[in-house]
Amino acid sequence: MPRYKVIFDTDPGVDDAMALRFLTRRPEFDLLAITTVHGNLDVDTVTRNALWLADWMGLAAPVARGAATPLDRPAGLGAPHVHGANGIGDLTLPQSMARASDPRPAWQVIVDLVRAHPGEVTLIAVGPLTNLALALRHDPAIAGLVAGVSIMGGAFGTRGHAGNMTPVAEANILADPEAADAVLTAAWPVTLLGLDVTQQVVMDAAYLDRLGAQGGTDGTFLRAVSRFYQDFHERTRGLAGIFAHDSLAVINVIAPELFTRRRGPVRVVCGGIADGQTIQKPEGALCPPSPAWDPYPSQSVAVDVDTAAVLALYADTFLAS
């Protein structure tokens, strides 16, 4: 079985927590670090959440506090209405953490680990991309040293999945469009798992109930943490379940065959009414040459997904043992 050395860059977050538990249950992964970033809530809160999750899951990997604000704009307000006031579905957390964060900033941890394991580290990013952009800013050469970058973010309009914050912008990208554009135009291999596929994968109430009833301690946690998130989806969309979102960036690393991809440079709109929009120029597109697109590397955008297989892979990870 192949082993994937990974750094999990996150702003936990209910779906972040569910993705992290899936990652740490899979024998294919060697988790090198968890790095936190502003997004679902402020960076202090999400770092506390990451420390608690790492302690509760018994993880040896360090947790490093990351960027508190986007590269070039103020921090957003977060999404307590989506993930709960504490970001973890309003589960009760201890007053004090059993472990401390790594003294290095997240970008430094990313650089250090990529340098220590050239060609071996995959970055899994499920929040705003500020930490990855800062790592590139401080050491651009790491782009040539990573094995891959798997990102949950963006929306390209496939099957009507065009945006969840504005008509065109997805939350992780809109939280720091300048960072996203820097990351997506860098010369490292990126796969973008956007709303085009994450909103095709719905964990419905019966699925979540089954995890809770048959998945042991982990299943109990997954069901408990998802209840607030499910309530949000029911109130706003009439959806009796939740979108899998962040877990797809993890699944992409070990089961890429479950996704259909489209290749081509990807840019992010920075400013204006389309702020945060992700746009791809597909390879072979009949467009005139343009300096806005042609100098940049082709990246992979997931445009379809084997929903049943993804749901089975996630559930079997907790129910098979």
Side-chain angles (χ1 to χ4, degrees):
M1 179 180 296
R3 293 276 289 178
Y4 299 93
K5 292 182 171 66
V6 297
I7 298 170
F8 191 66
D9 191 70
T10 179
D11 58 338
V14 171
D15 55 329
D16 307 67
M18 296 178 72
L20 180 62
R21 196 50 181 147
F22 172 79
L23 186 159
T24 55
R25 282 288 300 263
R26 296 299 309 185
E28 298 94 335
F29 289 113
D30 178 9
L31 179 62
L32 300 182
I34 299 169
T35 52
T36 67
V37 65
H38 68 93
N40 287 325
L41 286 170
D42 64 275
V43 75
D44 290 334
T45 299
V46 300
T47 301
R48 173 186 170 86
N49 292 347
L51 288 167
W52 177 76
L53 288 166
D55 186 57
W56 180 77
M57 295 178 190
L59 306 180
V63 175
R65 182 183 184 276
T69 63
L71 290 183
D72 299 314
R73 57 178 73 191
L77 299 176
H81 59 293
V82 180
H83 297 273
N86 71 353
I88 302 288
D90 284 345
L91 299 185
T92 301
L93 303 187
Q95 291 298 312
S96 59
M97 294 295 105
R99 58 191 290 173
S101 58
D102 192 283
R104 296 168 293 173
W107 69 261
Q108 186 69 65
V109 170
I110 293 170
V111 168
D112 290 349
L113 288 171
V114 170
R115 286 283 179 184
H117 305 281
E120 298 183 72
V121 177
T122 297
L123 307 177
I124 301 177
V126 297
L129 297 174
T130 316
N131 290 334
L132 274 63
L134 287 171
L136 285 170
R137 180 178 289 181
H138 284 89
D139 189 352
I142 65 166
L145 299 175
V146 301
V149 185
S150 185
I151 295 170
M152 190 275 126
F156 295 85
T158 306
R159 290 179 301 278
H161 300 305
N164 60 3
M165 294 297 289
T166 76
V168 296
E170 179 274 330
N172 285 341
I173 303 300
L174 184 60
D176 195 345
E178 289 79 12
D181 193 58
V183 168
L184 297 175
T185 56
W188 52 12
V190 171
T191 299
L192 204 56
L193 293 303
L195 302 183
D196 308 80
V197 291
T198 69
Q199 290 188 164
Q200 291 294 112
V201 182
V202 176
M203 297 177 171
D204 64 23
Y207 179 95
L208 294 167
D209 288 344
R210 180 168 172 250
L211 284 175
Q214 301 177 25
T217 301
D218 285 338
T220 300
F221 166 75
L222 295 171
R223 190 61 186 106
V225 78
S226 65
R227 289 192 183 280
F228 189 100
Y229 201 47
Q230 180 183 338
D231 288 345
F232 166 77
H233 285 80
E234 289 179 347
R235 290 194 313 271
T236 60
R237 291 176 174 267
L239 182 70
I242 65 174
F243 295 128
H245 284 321
D246 291 350
S247 292
L248 270 66
V250 181
I251 290 171
N252 170 63
V253 178
I254 59 171
E257 69 278 4
L258 300 184
F259 301 91
T260 301
R261 294 165 172 76
R262 185 178 66 198
R263 298 277 298 168
V266 178
R267 299 300 309 271
V268 179
V269 178
C270 298
I273 63 171
D275 197 27
Q277 182 178 10
T278 46
I279 306 172
Q280 185 179 44
K281 179 184 178 181
E283 290 181 350
L286 300 178
C287 303
S290 168
W293 301 98
D294 299 330
Y296 299 105
S298 283
Q299 307 292 11
S300 294
V301 170
V303 294
D304 203 359
V305 57
D306 185 337
T307 297
V310 165
L311 289 172
L313 177 60
Y314 189 93
D316 289 349
T317 298
F318 299 98
L319 302 181
S321 59

